[in-house]
Amino acid sequence: MVGYASNKEQLLTRLRRAEGQVRGIHRMVEEDTYCIDVLTQVSAATKALETVALALLEDHLAHCVAEAAREGGAVADEKIREASAAIARLVRS
């Protein structure tokens, strides 16, 4: 079972919203919309995806990492490394 199972529908709703925003941005570029207006929508879509990423990370830490920490050993070490790498990717993006 994945850590986000209990929030799956919320995540899918947010992803559909972000998908719609990206389609809207595509349409804006096709229609030669003013640059700042396009950038505003890019920022909104980016924020929507960041929200999904943070929710996934929170669920991963609360479920997968916590479970591995209880077990201890190499599995726990690997899950912590994975989480650290994911956090680093999010911070850099």
Side-chain angles (χ1 to χ4, degrees), residues 17 22-23 28 30 36 40 45 48 58 68 71 89 92:
R17 189 174 305 129
V22 171
R23 278 195 308 273
M28 291 172 81
E30 284 182 333
I36 297 301
T40 299
E58 183 178 329
E71 291 176 19
R89 284 191 301 274
R92 284 192 298 264

Side-chain angles (χ1 to χ4, degrees), residues 4 6 8 10 17-18 20-21 23-24 26 33-34 37 39 44 52 58 61-63 71 74-75 84-85 88-89:
Y4 59 83
S6 64
K8 185 175 179 176
Q10 290 173 327
R17 189 174 305 129
Q21 288 174 312
R23 278 195 308 273
H26 184 270
T33 302
Y34 183 59
D37 294 338
L39 288 170
V52 170
E58 183 178 329
L61 292 172
H63 181 264
E71 291 176 19
V75 173
S84 293
R89 284 191 301 274

